Amino acid sequence: MEKGFEFLDKELEQLFPPQNDNFSPKYVDKLVKVFMKDGKEKWILVHIEVQGYKDVNFPERMFTYYYRIFDKYNKPITAFAIFTDDSFRLYPDKFEQSFLGTSIRYEYNTYKITEQSEEDLFSSNNPFAMVVLAVKAALKSKRINQSELFELKLGLAKTLLRKQFSKDKIRALMNFLKYHIRFDKEETMIKFDKEIESLTGKSTTMGIEEFLINRATEQGRKIGVEEGIESQKESFVIALLRDTNHSSEKIAQLTGVSLAFVEKIKKELETK
């Protein structure tokens, strides 16, 4: 681990250009260069499925990732498929093909969120165990009422705060928990925020929105100075579009500009 790791996003994009189709299935792919204990370089492919339906072409797509990377870079690869849907159906873990005496069988690692033991996750000191718990809670939110969801989310927050994580990790995980599991009513969110503030103090629970807005504002200032963009508000809008998942309506509200102005800049960024 002291040698660190490197994300090979450019290499992956060369083989699989990102799709701009809003209606296409959502995949999150990462190719990571790591070093084994014997000092040898290895590559890890992480493929996350963010979709709630059965995809019969998934094993073939996993195999395509493998052979294209291997063909171009000739590197040893291990692949992980992480399934984030809430179904309990069997999920594909291999690609097989056979024809006239020639056959191939490609197997890859799989990780299904719904199958993970909550007891093991709660007892784990791995920060990402809390992420998985948050995702499981989000999946449960479709089947429980808001009161039960509130207690579940608050319990997760308390567990997180008991862990011996750094302040930055706690803040990042708390914000993930806060914004990944959403309440239907705004007053429930306000109640949750107050509970968290009473547990940790306001300085520890700076919301992700406040953090991103502060960062986007700073980036907006830099863009305005370096590139001569016509106004600070335009710089602010650009930074928020690039750095957050806020809707155009929310960005217009935060920056004090019209929705049409935000949509115009958004369209310009998409065409670049």
Side-chain angles (χ1 to χ4, degrees):
M1 292 302 294
E2 62 269 16
K3 286 192 174 183
F5 55 89
E6 179 184 351
F7 288 111
L8 305 174
D9 291 353
K10 287 186 178 180
E11 286 81 352
L12 202 59
E13 283 190 11
Q14 288 175 2
L15 297 175
F16 303 94
Q19 295 181 343
N20 293 321
D21 181 3
N22 290 331
F23 298 98
S24 65
K26 297 298 180 281
Y27 317 126
V28 180
D29 303 299
K30 286 292 179 184
L31 188 60
V32 191
K33 181 171 74 176
V34 299
F35 294 91
M36 308 301 285
K37 289 184 178 180
D38 60 7
K40 293 181 180 179
E41 174 187 314
K42 304 289 183 181
W43 287 19
I44 297 175
L45 170 67
V46 181
H47 178 93
I48 304 175
E49 283 287 287
V50 189
Q51 60 183 38
Y53 60 89
K54 186 176 181 179
D55 183 359
V56 295
N57 296 317
F58 179 77
E60 182 179 348
R61 190 166 65 252
M62 288 295 291
F63 177 62
T64 302
Y65 275 96
Y66 176 84
Y67 78 68
R68 286 191 186 178
I69 294 170
F70 183 79
D71 180 55
K72 184 165 184 177
Y73 300 104
N74 192 24
K75 296 289 185 181
I77 305 161
T78 183
F80 290 81
I82 304 176
F83 297 93
T84 59
D85 60 285
D86 61 350
S87 69
F88 291 91
R89 58 176 170 77
L90 293 176
Y91 48 91
D93 60 358
K94 57 184 172 293
F95 171 76
E96 295 179 290
Q97 191 178 82
S98 179
F99 181 66
L100 296 178
T102 298
S103 63
I104 189 168
R105 178 186 176 97
Y106 169 62
E107 297 181 355
Y108 45 88
N109 301 283
T110 58
Y111 186 90
K112 178 81 168 180
I113 294 292
T114 54
E115 289 187 355
Q116 304 311 307
S117 163
E118 292 189 9
E119 182 180 353
D120 291 343
L121 291 169
F122 272 113
S123 61
S124 173
N125 288 321
N126 187 325
F128 281 94
M130 298 305 303
V131 174
V132 176
L133 281 168
V135 176
K136 285 178 70 71
L139 294 173
K140 282 184 180 180
S141 68
K142 302 175 183 178
R143 303 188 297 271
I144 61 179
N145 60 44
Q146 289 294 290
S147 177
E148 292 172 321
L149 180 61
F150 180 87
E151 293 301 323
L152 176 61
K153 188 171 177 177
L154 186 60
L156 279 174
K158 289 178 178 179
T159 300
L160 169 59
L161 294 171
R162 286 197 298 267
K163 299 288 185 179
Q164 298 300 310
F165 298 145
S166 68
K167 184 177 178 180
D168 288 341
K169 279 191 174 70
I170 289 177
R171 179 181 292 132
L173 290 168
M174 189 67 75
N175 287 327
F176 179 85
L177 172 64
K178 178 179 177 181
Y179 286 93
H180 188 72
I181 310 173
R182 294 185 173 275
F183 297 113
D184 292 338
K185 297 180 180 180
E186 185 177 353
E187 52 263 37
T188 309
M189 176 62 84
I190 294 172
K191 180 182 177 182
F192 179 78
D193 288 344
K194 289 182 177 179
E195 288 281 353
I196 297 303
E197 287 182 9
S198 68
L199 287 170
T200 63
K202 195 168 184 179
S203 61
T204 311
T205 58
M206 181 178 68
I208 189 66
E209 180 175 313
E210 181 184 347
F211 171 76
L212 290 173
I213 288 172
N214 289 342
R215 185 174 69 176
T217 303
E218 182 59 30
Q219 288 183 342
R221 291 195 189 101
K222 290 180 180 178
I223 293 172
V225 171
E226 294 173 3
E227 300 183 9
I229 296 176
E230 62 182 53
S231 72
Q232 286 292 332
K233 283 189 176 182
E234 182 174 347
S235 303
F236 195 5
V237 169
I238 291 173
L240 285 173
L241 285 169
R242 288 175 174 170
D243 235 12
T244 75
N245 292 321
H246 288 323
S247 66
S248 297
E249 291 81 1
K250 182 68 173 178
I251 292 175
Q253 178 185 354
L254 291 169
T255 56
V257 300
S258 68
L259 177 59
F261 182 78
V262 176
E263 290 292 339
K264 175 177 175 291
I265 296 177
K266 184 178 181 181
K267 188 173 181 180
E268 289 174 353
L269 291 173
E270 288 174 349
T271 57
K272 287 183 178 180

